[in-house]
Amino acid sequence: GIQVEQSPPDLILQEGANSTLRCNFSDSVNNLQWFHQNPWGQLINLFYIPSGTKQNGRLSATTVATERYSLLYISSSQTTDSGVYFCAVHTSGGSYIPTFGRGTSLIVHP
Amino acid sequence: GAGVSQSPSNKVTEKGKDVELRCDPISGHTALYWYRQRLGQGLEFLIYFQGNSAPDKSGLPSDRFSAERTGESVSTLTIQRTQQEDSAVYLCASSLGRGVPLHFGNGTRLTVT
């Protein structure tokens, strides 16, 4: 099956810093989602981004499907950004079951 | 409803007992997924329902695990003869159909003592 790798596995920032999280995948995908799992365990949709670039406030994401990666940018990070960021992909091969990466754990210090 | 609803939010059970977890998807969502997340780990796929099609059970870890869904409504995940290794958060997600954004519930935290 498809392999989804996220990097870095862990990230520690000071409030106000910017960061880039990466999601690489091993096969063609129909779509890709980014999620934020907050410290209470809730999984929150950030972006549904099979290709192109989207922005939502301080967050933006870019997916380059032909090169099999997606990037999540966090600017001017805040302590509320702490948590784990997951990407999930649906392959083009017919399976509609999203495959998740292992996540990037982000801690933002005040 | 406004979002995916899961119950109970927490469940503590003794080893060997059966448990039933419930997921109420967003109204109109034909697809429903169950995932398991062990402490500090990623999401592990368990089972997928799409409308009235036969479910994809390929992720169920053993025959102690089963799930049902009636039409496009509530789903229940049943774990028989629970083991300590079953301790995890069980997450349910729904979507409008195949290959479209998933929406997760808040999960059920299962602790087997």
Side-chain angles (χ1 to χ4, degrees), chain A residues 61-99:
Chain A
T62 295
T63 296
V64 184
T66 53
E67 297 187 21
R68 300 182 181 174
Y69 72 89
S70 182
L71 302 174
L72 177 69
Y73 305 96
I74 305 174
S75 64
S76 304
S77 58
Q78 300 177 357
T79 56
T80 51
D81 295 331
S82 297
V84 182
Y85 290 80
F86 291 101
C87 70
V89 302
H90 294 235
T91 64
S92 305
S95 170
Y96 294 98
I97 299 165
T99 300

PDB file of all heavy atoms in Angstrom, chain A residues 61-99:
ATOM      1  N   ALA A  61      -1.302  25.708   3.024  1.00  0.00           N
ATOM      2  CA  ALA A  61      -0.836  24.401   2.592  1.00  0.00           C
ATOM      3  C   ALA A  61      -0.667  24.394   1.094  1.00  0.00           C
ATOM      4  O   ALA A  61      -1.410  25.065   0.362  1.00  0.00           O
ATOM      5  CB  ALA A  61      -1.818  23.311   3.020  1.00  0.00           C
ATOM      6  N   THR A  62       0.327  23.629   0.668  1.00  0.00           N
ATOM      7  CA  THR A  62       0.592  23.456  -0.756  1.00  0.00           C
ATOM      8  C   THR A  62       0.786  21.982  -1.026  1.00  0.00           C
ATOM      9  O   THR A  62       1.553  21.318  -0.311  1.00  0.00           O
ATOM     10  CB  THR A  62       1.858  24.217  -1.178  1.00  0.00           C
ATOM     11  OG1 THR A  62       1.635  25.613  -1.017  1.00  0.00           O
ATOM     12  CG2 THR A  62       2.210  23.918  -2.630  1.00  0.00           C
ATOM     13  N   THR A  63       0.112  21.470  -2.032  1.00  0.00           N
ATOM     14  CA  THR A  63       0.310  20.084  -2.464  1.00  0.00           C
ATOM     15  C   THR A  63       0.799  20.087  -3.902  1.00  0.00           C
ATOM     16  O   THR A  63       0.183  20.713  -4.772  1.00  0.00           O
ATOM     17  CB  THR A  63      -0.989  19.273  -2.354  1.00  0.00           C
ATOM     18  OG1 THR A  63      -1.377  19.197  -0.983  1.00  0.00           O
ATOM     19  CG2 THR A  63      -0.791  17.854  -2.891  1.00  0.00           C
ATOM     20  N   VAL A  64       1.922  19.401  -4.128  1.00  0.00           N
ATOM     21  CA  VAL A  64       2.438  19.205  -5.475  1.00  0.00           C
ATOM     22  C   VAL A  64       2.284  17.717  -5.776  1.00  0.00           C
ATOM     23  O   VAL A  64       3.149  16.902  -5.468  1.00  0.00           O
ATOM     24  CB  VAL A  64       3.910  19.656  -5.589  1.00  0.00           C
ATOM     25  CG1 VAL A  64       4.390  19.528  -7.024  1.00  0.00           C
ATOM     26  CG2 VAL A  64       4.066  21.088  -5.086  1.00  0.00           C
ATOM     27  N   ALA A  65       1.135  17.371  -6.343  1.00  0.00           N
ATOM     28  CA  ALA A  65       0.783  15.961  -6.512  1.00  0.00           C
ATOM     29  C   ALA A  65       1.767  15.247  -7.434  1.00  0.00           C
ATOM     30  O   ALA A  65       2.095  14.071  -7.209  1.00  0.00           O
ATOM     31  CB  ALA A  65      -0.639  15.844  -7.045  1.00  0.00           C
ATOM     32  N   THR A  66       2.252  15.938  -8.461  1.00  0.00           N
ATOM     33  CA  THR A  66       3.163  15.301  -9.429  1.00  0.00           C
ATOM     34  C   THR A  66       4.483  14.925  -8.771  1.00  0.00           C
ATOM     35  O   THR A  66       5.161  13.998  -9.210  1.00  0.00           O
ATOM     36  CB  THR A  66       3.426  16.228 -10.613  1.00  0.00           C
ATOM     37  OG1 THR A  66       3.865  17.501 -10.112  1.00  0.00           O
ATOM     38  CG2 THR A  66       2.169  16.414 -11.452  1.00  0.00           C
ATOM     39  N   GLU A  67       4.852  15.650  -7.702  1.00  0.00           N
ATOM     40  CA  GLU A  67       6.094  15.338  -7.005  1.00  0.00           C
ATOM     41  C   GLU A  67       5.843  14.628  -5.676  1.00  0.00           C
ATOM     42  O   GLU A  67       6.757  14.379  -4.902  1.00  0.00           O
ATOM     43  CB  GLU A  67       6.910  16.618  -6.802  1.00  0.00           C
ATOM     44  CG  GLU A  67       7.340  17.243  -8.125  1.00  0.00           C
ATOM     45  CD  GLU A  67       8.287  18.419  -7.950  1.00  0.00           C
ATOM     46  OE1 GLU A  67       8.930  18.538  -6.887  1.00  0.00           O
ATOM     47  OE2 GLU A  67       8.367  19.234  -8.889  1.00  0.00           O
ATOM     48  N   ARG A  68       4.586  14.349  -5.410  1.00  0.00           N
ATOM     49  CA  ARG A  68       4.186  13.501  -4.289  1.00  0.00           C
ATOM     50  C   ARG A  68       4.585  14.066  -2.932  1.00  0.00           C
ATOM     51  O   ARG A  68       5.187  13.370  -2.092  1.00  0.00           O
ATOM     52  CB  ARG A  68       4.710  12.070  -4.468  1.00  0.00           C
ATOM     53  CG  ARG A  68       4.173  11.429  -5.740  1.00  0.00           C
ATOM     54  CD  ARG A  68       4.628  10.035  -5.924  1.00  0.00           C
ATOM     55  NE  ARG A  68       4.110   9.491  -7.174  1.00  0.00           N
ATOM     56  CZ  ARG A  68       4.454   8.300  -7.664  1.00  0.00           C
ATOM     57  NH1 ARG A  68       5.314   7.554  -7.002  1.00  0.00           N
ATOM     58  NH2 ARG A  68       3.931   7.873  -8.793  1.00  0.00           N
ATOM     59  N   TYR A  69       4.234  15.334  -2.715  1.00  0.00           N
ATOM     60  CA  TYR A  69       4.428  15.877  -1.382  1.00  0.00           C
ATOM     61  C   TYR A  69       3.453  17.006  -1.136  1.00  0.00           C
ATOM     62  O   TYR A  69       2.871  17.584  -2.075  1.00  0.00           O
ATOM     63  CB  TYR A  69       5.873  16.364  -1.169  1.00  0.00           C
ATOM     64  CG  TYR A  69       6.236  17.635  -1.897  1.00  0.00           C
ATOM     65  CD1 TYR A  69       6.038  18.896  -1.329  1.00  0.00           C
ATOM     66  CD2 TYR A  69       6.811  17.584  -3.171  1.00  0.00           C
ATOM     67  CE1 TYR A  69       6.387  20.054  -1.993  1.00  0.00           C
ATOM     68  CE2 TYR A  69       7.155  18.741  -3.851  1.00  0.00           C
ATOM     69  CZ  TYR A  69       6.940  19.966  -3.261  1.00  0.00           C
ATOM     70  OH  TYR A  69       7.270  21.123  -3.936  1.00  0.00           O
ATOM     71  N   SER A  70       3.280  17.295   0.143  1.00  0.00           N
ATOM     72  CA  SER A  70       2.473  18.430   0.571  1.00  0.00           C
ATOM     73  C   SER A  70       3.190  19.108   1.732  1.00  0.00           C
ATOM     74  O   SER A  70       3.883  18.438   2.523  1.00  0.00           O
ATOM     75  CB  SER A  70       1.079  17.976   1.006  1.00  0.00           C
ATOM     76  OG  SER A  70       0.276  19.085   1.382  1.00  0.00           O
ATOM     77  N   LEU A  71       3.035  20.414   1.812  1.00  0.00           N
ATOM     78  CA  LEU A  71       3.643  21.208   2.876  1.00  0.00           C
ATOM     79  C   LEU A  71       2.567  21.983   3.630  1.00  0.00           C
ATOM     80  O   LEU A  71       1.630  22.506   3.017  1.00  0.00           O
ATOM     81  CB  LEU A  71       4.658  22.201   2.287  1.00  0.00           C
ATOM     82  CG  LEU A  71       5.808  21.614   1.476  1.00  0.00           C
ATOM     83  CD1 LEU A  71       6.634  22.737   0.849  1.00  0.00           C
ATOM     84  CD2 LEU A  71       6.694  20.736   2.342  1.00  0.00           C
ATOM     85  N   LEU A  72       2.738  22.035   4.927  1.00  0.00           N
ATOM     86  CA  LEU A  72       1.853  22.846   5.780  1.00  0.00           C
ATOM     87  C   LEU A  72       2.713  23.916   6.432  1.00  0.00           C
ATOM     88  O   LEU A  72       3.712  23.606   7.083  1.00  0.00           O
ATOM     89  CB  LEU A  72       1.188  21.980   6.846  1.00  0.00           C
ATOM     90  CG  LEU A  72       0.293  22.721   7.848  1.00  0.00           C
ATOM     91  CD1 LEU A  72      -0.959  23.248   7.153  1.00  0.00           C
ATOM     92  CD2 LEU A  72      -0.099  21.804   9.004  1.00  0.00           C
ATOM     93  N   TYR A  73       2.325  25.170   6.203  1.00  0.00           N
ATOM     94  CA  TYR A  73       3.061  26.297   6.760  1.00  0.00           C
ATOM     95  C   TYR A  73       2.284  26.886   7.936  1.00  0.00           C
ATOM     96  O   TYR A  73       1.080  27.133   7.813  1.00  0.00           O
ATOM     97  CB  TYR A  73       3.242  27.404   5.720  1.00  0.00           C
ATOM     98  CG  TYR A  73       3.894  26.977   4.432  1.00  0.00           C
ATOM     99  CD1 TYR A  73       3.114  26.633   3.330  1.00  0.00           C
ATOM    100  CD2 TYR A  73       5.274  26.953   4.290  1.00  0.00           C
ATOM    101  CE1 TYR A  73       3.691  26.256   2.129  1.00  0.00           C
ATOM    102  CE2 TYR A  73       5.869  26.577   3.099  1.00  0.00           C
ATOM    103  CZ  TYR A  73       5.072  26.232   2.021  1.00  0.00           C
ATOM    104  OH  TYR A  73       5.652  25.856   0.827  1.00  0.00           O
ATOM    105  N   ILE A  74       3.003  27.105   9.014  1.00  0.00           N
ATOM    106  CA  ILE A  74       2.409  27.783  10.170  1.00  0.00           C
ATOM    107  C   ILE A  74       3.225  29.052  10.406  1.00  0.00           C
ATOM    108  O   ILE A  74       4.436  28.987  10.653  1.00  0.00           O
ATOM    109  CB  ILE A  74       2.436  26.913  11.434  1.00  0.00           C
ATOM    110  CG1 ILE A  74       1.745  25.560  11.165  1.00  0.00           C
ATOM    111  CG2 ILE A  74       1.762  27.635  12.601  1.00  0.00           C
ATOM    112  CD1 ILE A  74       1.856  24.573  12.321  1.00  0.00           C
ATOM    113  N   SER A  75       2.573  30.187  10.311  1.00  0.00           N
ATOM    114  CA  SER A  75       3.293  31.445  10.538  1.00  0.00           C
ATOM    115  C   SER A  75       2.880  32.034  11.885  1.00  0.00           C
ATOM    116  O   SER A  75       1.771  31.802  12.370  1.00  0.00           O
ATOM    117  CB  SER A  75       3.000  32.441   9.414  1.00  0.00           C
ATOM    118  OG  SER A  75       1.628  32.798   9.418  1.00  0.00           O
ATOM    119  N   SER A  76       3.803  32.776  12.466  1.00  0.00           N
ATOM    120  CA  SER A  76       3.559  33.447  13.750  1.00  0.00           C
ATOM    121  C   SER A  76       2.883  32.493  14.740  1.00  0.00           C
ATOM    122  O   SER A  76       1.788  32.759  15.256  1.00  0.00           O
ATOM    123  CB  SER A  76       2.684  34.691  13.542  1.00  0.00           C
ATOM    124  OG  SER A  76       3.274  35.566  12.614  1.00  0.00           O
ATOM    125  N   SER A  77       3.540  31.375  15.012  1.00  0.00           N
ATOM    126  CA  SER A  77       2.928  30.305  15.801  1.00  0.00           C
ATOM    127  C   SER A  77       2.478  30.808  17.182  1.00  0.00           C
ATOM    128  O   SER A  77       3.073  31.722  17.771  1.00  0.00           O
ATOM    129  CB  SER A  77       3.899  29.143  15.954  1.00  0.00           C
ATOM    130  OG  SER A  77       5.100  29.567  16.554  1.00  0.00           O
ATOM    131  N   GLN A  78       1.415  30.178  17.660  1.00  0.00           N
ATOM    132  CA  GLN A  78       0.850  30.479  18.967  1.00  0.00           C
ATOM    133  C   GLN A  78       0.793  29.192  19.791  1.00  0.00           C
ATOM    134  O   GLN A  78       0.837  28.092  19.238  1.00  0.00           O
ATOM    135  CB  GLN A  78      -0.557  31.066  18.803  1.00  0.00           C
ATOM    136  CG  GLN A  78      -0.588  32.337  17.989  1.00  0.00           C
ATOM    137  CD  GLN A  78      -1.979  32.885  17.771  1.00  0.00           C
ATOM    138  OE1 GLN A  78      -2.970  32.288  18.191  1.00  0.00           O
ATOM    139  NE2 GLN A  78      -2.061  34.033  17.106  1.00  0.00           N
ATOM    140  N   THR A  79       0.698  29.338  21.104  1.00  0.00           N
ATOM    141  CA  THR A  79       0.684  28.160  21.970  1.00  0.00           C
ATOM    142  C   THR A  79      -0.494  27.238  21.626  1.00  0.00           C
ATOM    143  O   THR A  79      -0.391  26.017  21.778  1.00  0.00           O
ATOM    144  CB  THR A  79       0.607  28.554  23.448  1.00  0.00           C
ATOM    145  OG1 THR A  79      -0.528  29.381  23.661  1.00  0.00           O
ATOM    146  CG2 THR A  79       1.863  29.320  23.865  1.00  0.00           C
ATOM    147  N   THR A  80      -1.572  27.815  21.123  1.00  0.00           N
ATOM    148  CA  THR A  80      -2.738  27.005  20.744  1.00  0.00           C
ATOM    149  C   THR A  80      -2.494  26.157  19.493  1.00  0.00           C
ATOM    150  O   THR A  80      -3.317  25.305  19.157  1.00  0.00           O
ATOM    151  CB  THR A  80      -3.958  27.898  20.507  1.00  0.00           C
ATOM    152  OG1 THR A  80      -3.595  28.942  19.598  1.00  0.00           O
ATOM    153  CG2 THR A  80      -4.427  28.517  21.827  1.00  0.00           C
ATOM    154  N   ASP A  81      -1.377  26.392  18.813  1.00  0.00           N
ATOM    155  CA  ASP A  81      -1.015  25.561  17.660  1.00  0.00           C
ATOM    156  C   ASP A  81      -0.402  24.231  18.098  1.00  0.00           C
ATOM    157  O   ASP A  81      -0.222  23.324  17.282  1.00  0.00           O
ATOM    158  CB  ASP A  81      -0.016  26.283  16.750  1.00  0.00           C
ATOM    159  CG  ASP A  81      -0.583  27.533  16.104  1.00  0.00           C
ATOM    160  OD1 ASP A  81      -1.812  27.585  15.876  1.00  0.00           O
ATOM    161  OD2 ASP A  81       0.196  28.469  15.833  1.00  0.00           O
ATOM    162  N   SER A  82      -0.083  24.100  19.361  1.00  0.00           N
ATOM    163  CA  SER A  82       0.511  22.858  19.858  1.00  0.00           C
ATOM    164  C   SER A  82      -0.411  21.676  19.599  1.00  0.00           C
ATOM    165  O   SER A  82      -1.634  21.810  19.603  1.00  0.00           O
ATOM    166  CB  SER A  82       0.813  22.975  21.354  1.00  0.00           C
ATOM    167  OG  SER A  82       1.769  23.973  21.598  1.00  0.00           O
ATOM    168  N   GLY A  83       0.213  20.523  19.397  1.00  0.00           N
ATOM    169  CA  GLY A  83      -0.551  19.317  19.128  1.00  0.00           C
ATOM    170  C   GLY A  83       0.168  18.492  18.081  1.00  0.00           C
ATOM    171  O   GLY A  83       1.358  18.679  17.827  1.00  0.00           O
ATOM    172  N   VAL A  84      -0.572  17.579  17.474  1.00  0.00           N
ATOM    173  CA  VAL A  84      -0.001  16.724  16.440  1.00  0.00           C
ATOM    174  C   VAL A  84      -0.699  17.018  15.118  1.00  0.00           C
ATOM    175  O   VAL A  84      -1.925  17.104  15.059  1.00  0.00           O
ATOM    176  CB  VAL A  84      -0.151  15.231  16.792  1.00  0.00           C
ATOM    177  CG1 VAL A  84       0.509  14.365  15.717  1.00  0.00           C
ATOM    178  CG2 VAL A  84       0.444  14.940  18.161  1.00  0.00           C
ATOM    179  N   TYR A  85       0.101  17.156  14.080  1.00  0.00           N
ATOM    180  CA  TYR A  85      -0.414  17.440  12.745  1.00  0.00           C
ATOM    181  C   TYR A  85      -0.284  16.186  11.895  1.00  0.00           C
ATOM    182  O   TYR A  85       0.803  15.618  11.765  1.00  0.00           O
ATOM    183  CB  TYR A  85       0.349  18.612  12.113  1.00  0.00           C
ATOM    184  CG  TYR A  85       0.030  19.910  12.801  1.00  0.00           C
ATOM    185  CD1 TYR A  85       0.645  20.254  14.006  1.00  0.00           C
ATOM    186  CD2 TYR A  85      -0.918  20.783  12.282  1.00  0.00           C
ATOM    187  CE1 TYR A  85       0.325  21.425  14.662  1.00  0.00           C
ATOM    188  CE2 TYR A  85      -1.244  21.973  12.940  1.00  0.00           C
ATOM    189  CZ  TYR A  85      -0.622  22.271  14.128  1.00  0.00           C
ATOM    190  OH  TYR A  85      -0.956  23.436  14.787  1.00  0.00           O
ATOM    191  N   PHE A  86      -1.405  15.754  11.357  1.00  0.00           N
ATOM    192  CA  PHE A  86      -1.440  14.561  10.508  1.00  0.00           C
ATOM    193  C   PHE A  86      -1.811  14.931   9.080  1.00  0.00           C
ATOM    194  O   PHE A  86      -2.665  15.805   8.853  1.00  0.00           O
ATOM    195  CB  PHE A  86      -2.488  13.566  11.003  1.00  0.00           C
ATOM    196  CG  PHE A  86      -2.168  12.896  12.307  1.00  0.00           C
ATOM    197  CD1 PHE A  86      -2.763  13.317  13.489  1.00  0.00           C
ATOM    198  CD2 PHE A  86      -1.292  11.825  12.344  1.00  0.00           C
ATOM    199  CE1 PHE A  86      -2.475  12.691  14.687  1.00  0.00           C
ATOM    200  CE2 PHE A  86      -1.000  11.191  13.545  1.00  0.00           C
ATOM    201  CZ  PHE A  86      -1.594  11.632  14.721  1.00  0.00           C
ATOM    202  N   CYS A  87      -1.195  14.253   8.126  1.00  0.00           N
ATOM    203  CA  CYS A  87      -1.731  14.289   6.775  1.00  0.00           C
ATOM    204  C   CYS A  87      -2.316  12.914   6.462  1.00  0.00           C
ATOM    205  O   CYS A  87      -1.871  11.897   6.999  1.00  0.00           O
ATOM    206  CB  CYS A  87      -0.686  14.708   5.737  1.00  0.00           C
ATOM    207  SG  CYS A  87       0.603  13.500   5.413  1.00  0.00           S
ATOM    208  N   ALA A  88      -3.326  12.899   5.625  1.00  0.00           N
ATOM    209  CA  ALA A  88      -3.996  11.663   5.224  1.00  0.00           C
ATOM    210  C   ALA A  88      -4.260  11.731   3.739  1.00  0.00           C
ATOM    211  O   ALA A  88      -4.697  12.767   3.229  1.00  0.00           O
ATOM    212  CB  ALA A  88      -5.304  11.483   5.986  1.00  0.00           C
ATOM    213  N   VAL A  89      -4.002  10.623   3.047  1.00  0.00           N
ATOM    214  CA  VAL A  89      -4.151  10.611   1.595  1.00  0.00           C
ATOM    215  C   VAL A  89      -5.080   9.489   1.160  1.00  0.00           C
ATOM    216  O   VAL A  89      -5.176   8.447   1.804  1.00  0.00           O
ATOM    217  CB  VAL A  89      -2.787  10.443   0.887  1.00  0.00           C
ATOM    218  CG1 VAL A  89      -1.835  11.557   1.289  1.00  0.00           C
ATOM    219  CG2 VAL A  89      -2.168   9.083   1.155  1.00  0.00           C
ATOM    220  N   HIS A  90      -5.792   9.765   0.059  1.00  0.00           N
ATOM    221  CA  HIS A  90      -6.562   8.741  -0.624  1.00  0.00           C
ATOM    222  C   HIS A  90      -5.816   8.440  -1.920  1.00  0.00           C
ATOM    223  O   HIS A  90      -5.492   9.358  -2.669  1.00  0.00           O
ATOM    224  CB  HIS A  90      -7.957   9.262  -1.022  1.00  0.00           C
ATOM    225  CG  HIS A  90      -8.849   9.582   0.105  1.00  0.00           C
ATOM    226  ND1 HIS A  90     -10.101   9.029   0.224  1.00  0.00           N
ATOM    227  CD2 HIS A  90      -8.709  10.416   1.159  1.00  0.00           C
ATOM    228  CE1 HIS A  90     -10.692   9.511   1.297  1.00  0.00           C
ATOM    229  NE2 HIS A  90      -9.870  10.351   1.881  1.00  0.00           N
ATOM    230  N   THR A  91      -5.595   7.166  -2.194  1.00  0.00           N
ATOM    231  CA  THR A  91      -4.852   6.829  -3.400  1.00  0.00           C
ATOM    232  C   THR A  91      -5.751   6.870  -4.624  1.00  0.00           C
ATOM    233  O   THR A  91      -6.979   6.842  -4.516  1.00  0.00           O
ATOM    234  CB  THR A  91      -4.231   5.433  -3.286  1.00  0.00           C
ATOM    235  OG1 THR A  91      -5.300   4.477  -3.200  1.00  0.00           O
ATOM    236  CG2 THR A  91      -3.349   5.334  -2.061  1.00  0.00           C
ATOM    237  N   SER A  92      -5.099   6.870  -5.779  1.00  0.00           N
ATOM    238  CA  SER A  92      -5.827   6.855  -7.044  1.00  0.00           C
ATOM    239  C   SER A  92      -6.213   5.450  -7.449  1.00  0.00           C
ATOM    240  O   SER A  92      -6.897   5.260  -8.434  1.00  0.00           O
ATOM    241  CB  SER A  92      -4.957   7.470  -8.153  1.00  0.00           C
ATOM    242  OG  SER A  92      -4.537   8.759  -7.797  1.00  0.00           O
ATOM    243  N   GLY A  93      -5.770   4.462  -6.705  1.00  0.00           N
ATOM    244  CA  GLY A  93      -5.934   3.069  -7.098  1.00  0.00           C
ATOM    245  C   GLY A  93      -7.261   2.450  -6.765  1.00  0.00           C
ATOM    246  O   GLY A  93      -7.446   1.251  -6.928  1.00  0.00           O
ATOM    247  N   GLY A  94      -8.194   3.223  -6.246  1.00  0.00           N
ATOM    248  CA  GLY A  94      -9.529   2.704  -5.996  1.00  0.00           C
ATOM    249  C   GLY A  94      -9.892   2.559  -4.544  1.00  0.00           C
ATOM    250  O   GLY A  94     -11.071   2.482  -4.219  1.00  0.00           O
ATOM    251  N   SER A  95      -8.935   2.494  -3.643  1.00  0.00           N
ATOM    252  CA  SER A  95      -9.263   2.405  -2.224  1.00  0.00           C
ATOM    253  C   SER A  95      -9.676   3.777  -1.723  1.00  0.00           C
ATOM    254  O   SER A  95      -8.999   4.764  -1.966  1.00  0.00           O
ATOM    255  CB  SER A  95      -8.062   1.917  -1.419  1.00  0.00           C
ATOM    256  OG  SER A  95      -8.325   2.066  -0.033  1.00  0.00           O
ATOM    257  N   TYR A  96     -10.798   3.829  -1.030  1.00  0.00           N
ATOM    258  CA  TYR A  96     -11.258   5.100  -0.491  1.00  0.00           C
ATOM    259  C   TYR A  96     -10.991   5.200   0.995  1.00  0.00           C
ATOM    260  O   TYR A  96     -11.618   5.992   1.687  1.00  0.00           O
ATOM    261  CB  TYR A  96     -12.742   5.271  -0.802  1.00  0.00           C
ATOM    262  CG  TYR A  96     -12.978   5.403  -2.286  1.00  0.00           C
ATOM    263  CD1 TYR A  96     -13.372   4.310  -3.045  1.00  0.00           C
ATOM    264  CD2 TYR A  96     -12.772   6.614  -2.928  1.00  0.00           C
ATOM    265  CE1 TYR A  96     -13.571   4.434  -4.411  1.00  0.00           C
ATOM    266  CE2 TYR A  96     -12.972   6.747  -4.287  1.00  0.00           C
ATOM    267  CZ  TYR A  96     -13.366   5.649  -5.022  1.00  0.00           C
ATOM    268  OH  TYR A  96     -13.567   5.768  -6.371  1.00  0.00           O
ATOM    269  N   ILE A  97     -10.056   4.415   1.447  1.00  0.00           N
ATOM    270  CA  ILE A  97      -9.691   4.439   2.856  1.00  0.00           C
ATOM    271  C   ILE A  97      -8.455   5.307   3.011  1.00  0.00           C
ATOM    272  O   ILE A  97      -7.386   4.970   2.512  1.00  0.00           O
ATOM    273  CB  ILE A  97      -9.419   3.024   3.370  1.00  0.00           C
ATOM    274  CG1 ILE A  97     -10.683   2.174   3.219  1.00  0.00           C
ATOM    275  CG2 ILE A  97      -8.947   3.065   4.817  1.00  0.00           C
ATOM    276  CD1 ILE A  97     -10.443   0.706   3.363  1.00  0.00           C
ATOM    277  N   PRO A  98      -8.572   6.433   3.694  1.00  0.00           N
ATOM    278  CA  PRO A  98      -7.413   7.315   3.841  1.00  0.00           C
ATOM    279  C   PRO A  98      -6.303   6.652   4.643  1.00  0.00           C
ATOM    280  O   PRO A  98      -6.563   5.988   5.650  1.00  0.00           O
ATOM    281  CB  PRO A  98      -7.973   8.524   4.599  1.00  0.00           C
ATOM    282  CG  PRO A  98      -9.445   8.435   4.463  1.00  0.00           C
ATOM    283  CD  PRO A  98      -9.770   6.975   4.335  1.00  0.00           C
ATOM    284  N   THR A  99      -5.084   6.855   4.185  1.00  0.00           N
ATOM    285  CA  THR A  99      -3.903   6.399   4.911  1.00  0.00           C
ATOM    286  C   THR A  99      -3.273   7.592   5.592  1.00  0.00           C
ATOM    287  O   THR A  99      -3.014   8.615   4.947  1.00  0.00           O
ATOM    288  CB  THR A  99      -2.894   5.752   3.959  1.00  0.00           C
ATOM    289  OG1 THR A  99      -3.507   4.624   3.311  1.00  0.00           O
ATOM    290  CG2 THR A  99      -1.663   5.280   4.721  1.00  0.00           C
TER     291      THR A  99
END
